[in-house]
Amino acid sequence: MTAGTLDTVFSYTHTLSGVVSLSAFGYKWRDLRRDPGNLALRALCGTRLFNGLAYLVLAPVTYRWIGAHTGIPNLGTLVGHCFIVLGALSAHVMVAGWFGSPEEARRRLPRMAMLYLTAIAVMTGLFFAAPLPGAHPVDFEVHFATHPTAGAYVVVFLVTYGLNLANTARHTWPSSRGLARPWLAQSLRLAAVGSVFVLGFILGKLLGVLGRWGGTTSLDRAAVLWSPLMASAGSLVIVVGYTLPGWGARLSTRLDDHRSYRTLHPLWSALCEAAPGIALFEPRSPRLALFGADLHTRLYRMVIEIRDGQRLLRPYVCEDCEERLRERLAGSSGDRTDLLLEAAVLDLAIRRKRSGREPSGDAGGPGSRQSGSEFADELTWLRHVAEAYVRVAGECGRRRGPDVCGCTAVPAAGSVRWDTA
């Protein structure tokens, strides 16, 4: 690629990486406002803020603008690299807060800050001591590699940044194995993988510099093209990893709610048709429900309305009916007899109500076979019942036969005729 093409490409990719990183900062800032004393969370916000600013400054279009307005053509390199080192300091504090006590992290903070701030001071001194003519937003490291002062600047920056990335990867990947919280474990793995990607940025730059020190430009491509691409890819992976526990858990909960809604929908629709008064909301297709802001509310109401429907239709199936259904299911359902029995009772009651039959007058009966009162237990049970109902209703539709019991009154002449399986 030509220098102009690389400028254009990295103006876009660096700006995108910067915007994504700053968006992650804004996302985590809301959590920090609720818990301002959390050192690790403050450090996490710092990593996203400083890395986002670094990408925006190092984007060639911004880089050249800074040089033109300050009269220092490569000042963008120093500013961007200083932001990266500050982000590395924040990441080091964050890791210390995650994998140690907050008190220990605060105790170590002055020493960590001194290390990284010393690196910034050394980089600043070396930068202004070296003659750096012309703007080089893409190939700064290799272009000035053979100048002793500029070369020392590059080495100080890369070593400081690389050690921090290695520290992050060293702590996050092993620690992810013993976590019971899957989203947090995945977050740490992504942070480790992203850090390894960004270490590819360090390796590419070092290869280019070493190549120039050896008198060849054959390794420039690693430093000029692949190194920045690795940095951008790694940064995006890290951003996803650091924000995953928040939005990932919410997304998982919503998808679980939608799966439950979709599973319960056939049973709920049948009950609403048989007993229209139970529904608070107008029926909505499962596909549309996924995008509704009230999905959890609708699911909660759906569970209540299914239970209401069961109670309203219970008089349409007497105890003798239920016993005969139990005998019919015995031996064919294994340890799922109660589940299939509940589905069969519902199917029979719904079809009797639809046919216009009168209630049996037997309002008793065992009712639901699920004794749990927690919503999660209730939801899990009703999902199984709804799946069984679809199966039972389908089998009944294929096998028509006489009613299992004459407890319900036959409709008057002219009414819809009822038959059952």
Side-chain angles (χ1 to χ4, degrees):
M1 290 187 182
T2 65
T5 302
L6 288 175
D7 269 21
T8 301
V9 169
F10 291 126
S11 289
Y12 282 110
T13 59
H14 282 29
T15 301
L16 174 62
S17 297
V19 169
V20 170
S21 194
L22 290 176
S23 298
F25 163 74
Y27 178 80
K28 299 305 294 184
W29 177 256
R30 298 178 305 172
D31 296 333
L32 183 60
R33 291 180 62 185
R34 291 192 290 267
D35 187 13
N38 189 323
L39 180 62
L41 186 55
R42 285 159 58 189
L44 173 56
C45 288
T47 63
R48 295 304 92 215
L49 173 63
F50 290 128
N51 279 282
L53 293 174
Y55 273 112
L56 294 182
V57 168
L58 292 172
V61 62
T62 312
Y63 187 105
R64 294 185 183 279
W65 182 88
I66 292 173
H69 283 76
T70 61
I72 306 174
N74 294 292
L75 183 60
T77 291
L78 177 62
V79 175
H81 287 176
C82 287
F83 279 139
I84 289 175
V85 173
L86 290 173
L89 168 60
S90 298
H92 204 139
V93 175
M94 176 189 68
V95 169
W98 278 355
F99 302 106
S101 67
E103 294 74 18
E104 177 66 13
R106 287 187 172 86
R107 188 181 65 80
R108 294 174 53 193
L109 180 56
R111 283 185 296 168
M112 289 186 285
M114 181 62 66
L115 173 65
Y116 288 95
L117 293 178
T118 298
I120 288 177
V122 172
M123 288 164 51
T124 303
L126 292 171
F127 179 88
F128 285 106
L132 304 171
H136 293 274
V138 175
D139 63 344
F140 177 91
E141 292 83 3
V142 294
H143 185 83
F144 296 110
T146 54
H147 188 284
T149 308
Y153 166 91
V154 171
V155 169
V156 170
F157 165 67
L158 293 179
V159 169
T160 303
Y161 190 27
L163 289 176
N164 170 71
L165 291 169
N167 178 67
T168 301
R170 180 176 67 89
H171 281 87
T172 50
W173 185 269
S175 300
S176 68
R177 297 172 183 169
L179 291 175
R181 296 168 59 189
W183 287 108
L184 182 55
Q186 189 63 28
S187 170
L188 293 180
R189 293 189 194 104
L190 288 174
V193 170
S195 296
V196 171
F197 266 91
V198 183
L199 278 170
F201 161 81
I202 305 293
L203 179 61
K205 293 295 185 183
L206 285 175
L207 285 175
V209 169
L210 292 174
R212 286 297 184 101
W213 287 356
T216 179
T217 60
S218 60
L219 298 177
D220 282 8
R221 187 178 183 85
V224 173
L225 178 59
W226 297 114
S227 179
L229 290 178
M230 291 287 283
S232 294
S235 178
L236 292 176
V237 172
I238 290 173
V239 166
V240 172
Y242 284 164
T243 58
L244 185 63
W247 62 263
R250 284 193 289 272
L251 177 61
S252 178
T253 299
R254 185 167 187 84
L255 292 177
D256 284 344
D257 283 351
H258 180 252
R259 282 191 288 268
S260 297
Y261 188 95
R262 190 178 60 219
T263 302
L264 295 180
H265 196 270
L267 173 59
W268 176 73
S269 296
L271 288 169
C272 287
E273 182 181 346
I278 64 175
L280 176 64
F281 296 114
E282 288 294 323
R284 175 181 290 177
S285 74
R287 186 180 296 108
L288 294 177
L290 176 62
F291 305 102
D294 58 348
L295 174 59
H296 187 75
T297 301
R298 283 179 172 267
L299 179 63
Y300 188 81
R301 283 296 312 172
M302 184 179 279
V303 169
I304 294 173
E305 288 160 9
I306 288 174
R307 287 308 195 196
D308 289 344
Q310 287 179 301
R311 285 189 291 272
L312 286 172
L313 297 181
R314 192 66 189 83
Y316 287 85
V317 180
C318 70
E319 290 190 39
D320 287 341
C321 292
E322 184 166 326
E323 188 58 35
R324 293 181 189 183
L325 287 172
R326 187 186 297 276
E327 292 172 0
R328 182 181 295 180
L329 294 170
S332 63
S333 55
D335 59 353
R336 299 175 66 85
T337 301
D338 282 350
L339 184 64
L340 288 174
L341 178 59
E342 182 138 352
V345 167
L346 280 169
D347 176 63
L348 180 58
I350 288 170
R351 287 184 291 117
R352 283 180 170 179
K353 177 68 164 57
R354 284 174 176 170
S355 71
R357 285 186 172 250
E358 297 297 326
S360 66
D362 183 356
S368 172
R369 275 141 286 274
Q370 167 68 6
S371 58
S373 58
E374 295 293 330
F375 177 75
D377 296 334
E378 189 92 345
L379 179 60
T380 299
W381 170 256
L382 287 181
R383 282 184 60 163
H384 293 319
V385 171
E387 290 167 351
Y389 170 78
V390 172
R391 171 184 162 187
V392 168
E395 290 176 352
C396 288
R398 290 190 296 269
R399 293 199 316 264
R400 299 288 180 180
D403 197 349
V404 296
C405 180
C407 61
T408 53
V410 178
S415 300
V416 178
R417 183 179 178 275
W418 175 77
D419 56 355
T420 185

